[in-house]
């Protein structure tokens, strides 16, 4: 190309050619070319007859690519060249005019931004679907009791619905991030920035932006072609979302153990063992857990590529695509799999309730009883700590301690101590906004539904 | 504490104690405690006299911490315990009531969110200052010519002001990210979520949120205490910003080489060599380049900590602080240093102009000349490629080729070929929006000023 | 310094000065200076009187630094300048001769390599101590039965000692990596490479290397001063080791849950809750789990700094130190804490045995029974799968299935089926080398002891 | 499989199935199966006739896979199942016996270790080839002068051959790391560890290890199946090697700029521009620079997957393969491309020499002149710094300063000052071992050749 006359070394061609992976951008490339052709016609570079001919040619290329009948040539360095090469086969020398007022640099940046925006939109939809399922599953289990954990130690009883809704709010923040990434991708159209300095033609960039769905124009041609920020926004959102899902996966793996016995995957979402016939493994949950580092790695790959990179375009930027594509495929599969797995998950009400009935979980409530009777919290905490120690050391439950024993720790402890431990009201006492009391969970489900509807309206 | 009666192993205490680094959160801890005390009074847990006494105590603690006279005790596990311990020394047993309706879990999450919001605000301000300097420096050098580069090869001439403004737009996106991180930190107040399940007290969380500047309440107590998303948002923004700065640093290092000779740091921002007396090293630019991976690493540390972590609170979350603090310090120093260094940078107009006068940079314009005369762009590109090859191989400039030689490549090439190469208008021909033509750069400076003002109004 | 005559900007000084953290290298700096002074004397740059005077001066500096009485000056840019400045105060202009035939570049690289070697040696010792404790704890619990897990599902019974020894072998590989990192750090002495090109003096580098404990000389002066590979070797070893410890931490967190109830931290290695008096949290195990990403981040920081960095020395390399120091401190604390925590850990024999007695764990043995009777393994696996399904669906144990029911699945199933399920021999049947049968575990403990002794002899 | 009777959900199957990528392990899987079949025969599980039949079947499977005629079935979950399924089609029920005394867990770990060892061996060979080319190119340019750089500022002159050899020594350390990774992969054969607890059969593991090329046996069955350390060793080596290559790539990009003009890629290793006909872009060098973060990301992916993962096997470990495969392909391509590109690189002797003749580079030598005349180095450094400042400020070269001017700075400065600056001996004065003096470079080339031969003998 240009001044070079020797053919590329086969090894170099292999490392340099990107059509093997960037062909995935063909829908965006054709959309961008259509919009650019229109701009050329508006600027009288193409006659309206030429435009018609060119659009017909582009539509045929689109059909071939869509149908899988497009014949790639060995000389197609990237999808952009492949499309233009085929177009020229179809419409003759006119095809060569399409690259007027355009460079591969702004073309690639535009196609990539459109792909990011589409991927963010799709991730958003999958996140919403998972959020909807979470609300539904949470509502179905709104009043099932279970222990809440800190440090994976039983801490205070909560409702299973409440616990599950924690993931709803993580995912809502993810959804907002995917929205922001989509908006970031559409904020500044690179097309019209040329190789790096702008164009010799004053094309109507604003009209092209409207054609393609961009909200505005890149204000600086140099920045435009070396900017991959929207992809970083997407990858950061995807990495955080994948990490949220890894927490869900990790919990489900633990809950599926025989020791916890809280949950069991549907058979359709489990696998057996090649050697141990009794096994039912929570593979889907494990994969949710195990795939997060890979998505994080796509973020670090792209941000690493950009590290110390002089402006404007450099070949290093070709490394943006595979990193993004892998993250897109991974997060989409994870979101969809999480939704399906969760919908089919079977919880064990008895095991959950049994674990939640552990008297130790009422310890804070005993302390609160003392506070209500005027003791500063720190002191109450100490008193109850002594009671727990006494119980643990003598192998008894808290309610096995005698009236004398409890009175010896504090004069404020009387019959109500046993009532608190009997504890139907442990959960219902958590009445603050966002707490686990039934009324609050019901309120929260309502809020969640509204938040989801607000997202969907966007 | 609680049921444990043996003292902690010294080694465990060392790994477990966080006061060495989390004392940095003291302003947020006291603000949070003041707001919580007010909530307790509104809920009649404290009388108004007790509230007054407690607030007086907290103000005294604040003064001691602010003045550096606060005496930490060996038993202060973290800043939260230290503040409460000192408060109790000052106000007696009343101090113990402050922890009513609060847990260290929601307290820590709240302090941390406030710190993230403050850090994002500060990063935003430093970014704005750098943006302002960039506009000013760009305007001062608006019409200095230089080569624009792709692949670090001279590509097309641009104005230095145009090149510098590329960084303005990167930083504007960073500013928007820091804004988003600040808003994310203030979106959902964790306080009132208790240890994990909510509170036995229906405190007026909305009033407390207003006191502290939060926009809303965490809707789920379990999520609230295990949520570190705002810190991830900040760290992602800081990592991308640091990477932008690494590109600036990398360019300035290259421009400061004797071979480029485009720029020279002010003496105040350079250093010498312990052995080579002639050296003037662009250390500040190198540090901008070299510090980005460290900020990225803070992001990967925190997201790595969250990977596969069961809900709700776990001690692992203590690892959020040092990662964040290091990133905050690093990005703040980088932004401030970039601003000062840039303000004092000396550009070499002659070297820039000489490099820009390389005739090869007009090759695209010669191709465009052919396009205007009806040749499809691809064909024109090939013709000019041949001319370039002929010139390079014979060691001549493009304008040294004879009329016969150029006509031999295309009948469309005539005297205007030499005029295009003479090239005053190379830059001025880049007339598209965002291009490097003077009028477009002037327009861009205007747009940049408005964008900056819009940020500042927020 | 050199040609620069304006003082550094305070902000630049802050970013540029490294004495705040690199002072940690003082022992290496003084060792290196002593060895270099000797080389200067051998080369007749110093007289033997001057050498004596200089070594006396350096010893005094060492004492001041060791005692904490060394007075740093505001102008001390780094520890290397501080030592030389103080030396010159003590011995007069003679101090200025120490930098003959040396540059800060080769000096820093040498100090840093010595520090890496020392850190690797210390990590190796801590790893050995942990390995020794693991063998001891494993031997104490050699015949305690527990379920072995895959997918965190009970799979086959193993001995607790066998499970614990899995960590021994991970740590042995870590120990070998720390050895390799130490050897890597000592393989090529940078000193004598000058600023980048070598020295004008043919100092006897080999003698200096012997003084300092290096095995050889850097063969290329340019590589020598920009080489940070040994630090990468250390960081890679530390990251892998920290990740191994995170697996141990994660298991102990899970085992400490009430649901598993397999293990309990000693009180000295646990913490309580500020609000829940009953809590005993496995904080040390959580920190082992949570600190791995931070060590990995030190590796990615340094390798990120080196990315795309032109030779030879660049200021970016200053970022090597804090990343390394943080990893050194973290891995040393983790190794020591793991050792202490493990030594005090209390296992619950009853809970472990009860979990191991789950009949399902014998399913593979039933399949093996069928294989011994001539059925291909795949078919046997299918037969037992059917039996398990039948048992699970009817809520029975495998041994509750009747003679008729089992015979219906395969004619090869008879009384021995029940004997296999009764299962004393489940564990003892795992007789292959490395298996869990008692004799094999005893053999393994022996092998472990020998492997440890072999390490210690190094 | 086993107790599960419902078919897998299609989405789950997609996420769970690995045959799409792990089929790459087929040669290792067949090698492992052959060795295992032999072990079964030695243990009388197979008769010698059965063994023959099975080996014939396996060879046919190998041929089909090698020829690309192997027909994968939709039910082939992974390559291991596919091979066994096909074997059973070929040899009947006998095929089902192959999985006796083996589990997919130890089978996968074994295949993977063999693949790591092979990959390390191949990376080692490619590294050696690049080292050989470096020595050759360095020798060809052994006496070409160029400036050596620190901070990308000209520092001291060196020979191009010396500079290029810096990369030789980096790569030698990489080669040693690849050797270590290979040895690590072959150190402990997992086969014979069963699902996690060992086998019910005392197969002769040592004989199988010898068949497969392993040096020893995994000593603990649980560790064996969850151990991915060798892959981490490989990935760490590959990440460091890729980062070394990124430094080479970065230098070549800078050297190829018009401003430096030191080097030019062969046409076969460069590309043009779609819009600028004059461009010759150093794409191969840019890709070397840009691909390092991707290889680092494979390391962080796998170490991230292992973070906090309970023993023994978990599905998360399936994420080991794609991360490794991508790194293997990337580093192999980079090493091969670097070798080819370097072999064809054209250096510009004139530009290099001109840059090296910059008098400023002699500043250190002037200082050394003063030292030889008795002035302490620090003082001499100050004197020369003043001379440089005087020259720079008056726009003159150092040799343009008059006798009076230089004498005014120091009485020690006389005619020899001008001789030092005339400077033929600048380079030749760097006589220390590893320095750039010709004799030392010649010695270094000799050492390099020996080091390379020592590697090749391994």
């Amino acid at each position: 190309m240009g001044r070079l006359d020797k053919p590329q070394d086969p090894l170099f061609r292999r490392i340099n050619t990107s059509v093997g992976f960037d062909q995935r951008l063909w829908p965006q490339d054709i959309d961008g070319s259509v919009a650019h052709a229109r701009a050329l016609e508006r600027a009288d570079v193409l006659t309206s007859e030429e435009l018609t001919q060119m659009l017909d040619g582009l539509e045929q290329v689109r059909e071939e690519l869509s149908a899988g009948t497009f014949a790639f040539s060995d000389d197609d360095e990237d999808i952009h060249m492949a499309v233009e090469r085929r177009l020229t086969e179809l419409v003759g020398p006119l095809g060569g005019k399409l690259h007027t007022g355009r460079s591969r640099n702004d073309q690639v940046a535009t196609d990539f931004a459109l792909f990011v925006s589409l991927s963010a939109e799709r991730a958003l939809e999958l996140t919403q679907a998972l959020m909807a399922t979470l609300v539904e599953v949470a509502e179905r289990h709104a009043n099932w009791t279970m222990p809440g954990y800190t440090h994976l130690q039983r801490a205070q009883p909560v409702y299973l619905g409440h616990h599950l809704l924690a993931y709803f709010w993580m995912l809502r923040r993810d959804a907002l991030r995917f929205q922001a990434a989509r908006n970031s991708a559409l904020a500044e159209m690179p097309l019209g920035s040329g190789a790096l300095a702008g164009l010799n033609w004053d094309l109507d960039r604003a009209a092209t932006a409207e054609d393609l769905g961009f909200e505005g124009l890149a204000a600086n041609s140099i920045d435009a072609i070396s900017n991959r920020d929207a992809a970083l926004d997407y990858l950061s959102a995807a990495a955080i979302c994948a990490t949220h899902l890894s927490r869900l996966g990790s919990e489900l793996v633990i809950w599926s153990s025989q020791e916890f016995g809280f949950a069991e995957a549907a058979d359709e979402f489990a696998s057996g063992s090649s050697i141990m016939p009794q096994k039912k493994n929570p593979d889907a949950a494990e994969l949710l857990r195990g795939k997060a580092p890979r998505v994080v790695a796509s973020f670090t790959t792209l941000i690493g590529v950009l590290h110390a990179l002089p402006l404007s375009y450099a070949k290093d930027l070709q490394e943006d695509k595979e990193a993004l594509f892998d993250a897109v495929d991974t997060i989409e599969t994870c979101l969809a799999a999480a939704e399906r797995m969760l919908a089919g998950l079977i919880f064990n009400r008895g095991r959950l309730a049994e674990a939640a009935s552990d008297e130790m979980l009422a310890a804070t409530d005993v302390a609160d009883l003392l506070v209500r009777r005027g003791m500063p919290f720190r002191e109450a905490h100490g008193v109850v700590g002594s009671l727990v120690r006494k119980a643990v050391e003598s192998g008894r439950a808290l309610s096995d301690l005698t009236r004398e024993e409890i009175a010896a720790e504090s004069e404020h402890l009387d019959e109500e101590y046993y009532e608190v431990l009997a504890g139907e009201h442990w959960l219902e006492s958590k009445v603050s906004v966002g707490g686990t009391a039934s009324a609050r969970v019901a309120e929260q489900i309502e809020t969640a539904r509204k938040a989801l509807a607000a997202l969907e309206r966007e």
Side-chain angles (χ1 to χ4, degrees), chain A:
Chain A
M1 187 190 297
R3 61 183 268 204
L4 309 176
D5 56 355
K6 290 197 206 138
Q8 295 183 338
D9 180 280
L11 186 62
F12 173 62
R13 179 192 291 266
R14 181 149 59 99
I15 200 175
N16 195 49
T17 298
S18 55
V19 73
F21 49 85
D22 68 15
Q23 57 180 269
R24 188 164 172 170
L25 296 175
W26 68 259
Q28 288 75 39
D29 196 66
I30 291 179
D31 288 347
S33 292
V34 166
H36 183 60
R38 289 210 176 98
L40 291 177
E41 190 259 0
R42 280 191 300 265
D44 296 327
V45 177
L46 297 182
T47 64
S48 68
E49 289 75 26
E50 286 176 322
L51 175 62
T52 304
Q53 211 183 333
M54 198 172 272
L55 296 188
D56 287 351
L58 285 166
E59 285 315 309
Q60 173 151 357
V61 177
R62 189 197 299 272
E63 274 161 37
E64 291 176 8
L65 280 157
S66 177
T69 60
F70 185 96
F72 284 97
S73 139
D74 276 0
D75 286 335
D76 291 339
E77 193 180 305
D78 55 32
I79 185 63
H80 320 290
M81 300 300 268
V83 167
E84 188 184 325
R85 189 258 313 149
R86 180 66 184 134
L87 175 68
T88 303
E89 287 169 10
L90 292 169
V91 304
L94 169 64
K97 288 198 180 174
L98 180 59
H99 215 55
T100 313
R102 190 174 74 171
S103 157
R104 243 192 313 183
N105 293 349
D106 58 348
Q107 183 182 3
V108 166
T110 303
D111 292 1
F112 195 59
L114 289 172
F115 185 86
V116 169
S117 117
L118 191 76
S119 303
E121 186 65 33
R122 215 161 37 217
L124 177 57
E125 283 162 21
L126 290 163
T127 305
Q128 287 168 331
L130 176 52
M131 290 165 76
T133 298
L134 268 164
V135 173
E136 190 198 311
V137 176
E139 192 161 35
R140 272 209 320 267
H141 303 85
N143 63 347
W144 291 31
T145 57
M146 68 173 287
Y149 294 82
T150 60
H151 306 262
L152 208 61
Q153 296 287 305
R154 290 178 189 162
Q156 293 175 340
V158 296
Y159 289 116
L160 174 55
H162 187 59
H163 188 110
L164 291 172
L165 284 169
Y167 288 101
F168 176 91
W169 300 106
M170 293 183 214
L171 287 159
R172 178 164 173 261
R173 292 190 295 272
D174 295 328
L176 295 173
R177 268 182 212 100
F178 284 124
Q179 278 185 346
R182 182 197 59 196
N183 297 345
S184 165
L186 295 177
E188 314 173 5
M189 183 183 74
L191 202 63
S193 300
L196 82 155
L199 307 174
N200 289 359
W201 317 80
D202 187 10
L203 299 181
D204 184 352
R205 295 181 66 205
T208 306
E210 204 175 325
D211 275 7
L212 290 170
F214 283 96
E215 292 296 316
L217 305 181
N220 180 293
S221 58
I222 293 176
D223 174 46
I225 62 156
S226 66
N227 171 17
R228 294 297 183 272
D229 279 21
L232 290 174
D233 288 331
Y234 175 90
L235 289 170
S236 165
I240 298 173
C241 179
T243 299
H244 288 153
L245 295 179
S246 83
R247 301 184 74 173
L248 175 62
S250 179
E251 292 213 312
L252 293 181
V253 168
I254 292 170
W255 290 7
S256 302
S257 68
Q258 281 81 0
E259 288 73 13
F260 274 76
F262 288 0
E264 188 180 327
D267 278 13
E268 294 89 336
F269 272 85
S271 72
S273 155
S274 77
I275 190 165
M276 296 168 288
Q278 87 281 13
K279 290 298 291 296
K280 179 176 178 181
N281 297 324
D283 294 59
E286 293 173 281
L287 286 166
L288 286 188
R289 183 178 64 185
K291 282 190 180 284
R294 173 178 187 158
V295 184
V296 175
S298 283
F299 176 81
T300 59
T301 295
L302 182 51
I303 206 166
V305 167
L306 293 169
H307 169 242
L309 193 64
L311 304 185
S312 57
Y313 181 80
K315 187 70 173 184
D316 314 54
L317 291 174
Q318 179 173 296
E319 291 294 308
D320 56 357
K321 281 170 210 68
E322 285 167 291
L324 180 71
F325 294 163
D326 192 74
V328 165
D329 293 340
T330 305
I331 196 69
E332 290 184 3
T333 310
C334 285
L335 282 165
E339 194 274 329
R340 281 297 76 208
M341 176 185 51
L342 204 70
L345 204 65
I346 304 138
F347 293 99
N348 188 323
R349 189 167 198 160
R351 292 294 292 266
L352 288 159
E354 186 192 334
S357 70
D358 182 343
E359 256 183 33
M360 286 292 183
L361 302 185
T364 316
D365 295 274
V366 175
D368 273 330
L369 167 68
L370 290 168
V371 169
R372 284 178 215 275
R373 295 185 172 185
M375 189 182 287
F377 181 79
R378 281 284 168 233
E379 193 182 334
H381 184 275
V383 167
V384 182
S386 294
L387 291 168
V388 169
R389 200 157 53 241
K390 191 167 294 183
V392 168
E393 284 168 1
S394 59
R396 288 179 294 169
L398 283 173
S399 58
D400 292 336
L401 299 180
T402 64
R403 275 298 301 265
E404 290 67 37
E405 284 174 310
I406 64 171
E409 293 291 339
S410 165
E411 55 182 348
H412 295 298
L413 289 173
D414 54 20
E415 268 313 307
E416 204 177 337
Y417 167 83
Y418 299 99
E419 285 165 28
V420 166
L421 289 178
E424 282 308 294
H425 60 291
W426 298 348
L427 288 101
E428 290 307 324
S429 69
K430 298 295 177 292
V431 294
S432 53
V433 176
T436 201
S438 294
R440 290 304 193 185
V441 172
E443 187 180 281
Q444 190 187 152
I445 287 173
E446 198 56 33
T447 317
R449 287 239 162 75
K450 279 183 194 151
L452 187 53
L455 278 177
E456 278 164 357
R457 269 198 306 277
E458 300 256 337

